[in-house]
Amino acid sequence: MSHEPGVLVPEVPTQTPPRSPRLIEHASPYQLTPLADYAIRARVLGTEHYRFDQVADLVPLDLALDGCR
């Protein structure tokens, strides 16, 4: 899907307390504690793939988003 420049998402992102504050086990040695749940509809402006960075196994993809009105 493509949009003309300047076409924005009408919804504002929402952030709420986490449904479950339970510790999340991920690829060792990482342990994640949820601080919030969020929902967003946004346009992806760019992506960056990480393969050899120190935390690439935890965060392999970075997104640049435009979700503002």
Side-chain angles (χ1 to χ4, degrees):
M1 178 182 293
S2 63
H3 297 284
E4 296 296 319
V7 176
L8 301 177
V9 177
E11 295 91 8
V12 175
T14 60
Q15 181 172 310
T16 57
R19 288 180 299 250
S20 173
R22 183 173 50 101
L23 187 69
I24 300 169
E25 297 286 338
H26 191 63
S28 184
Y30 305 107
Q31 294 182 338
L32 308 174
T33 302
L35 300 178
D37 289 336
Y38 68 92
I40 185 171
R41 283 187 56 196
R43 208 162 69 165
V44 177
L45 301 177
T47 61
E48 183 71 36
H49 292 270
Y50 298 106
R51 293 179 181 87
F52 307 109
D53 188 80
Q54 265 187 330
V55 293
D57 55 338
L58 180 63
V59 185
L61 178 64
D62 190 11
L63 300 174
L65 303 176
D66 182 3
C68 301
R69 291 185 194 212

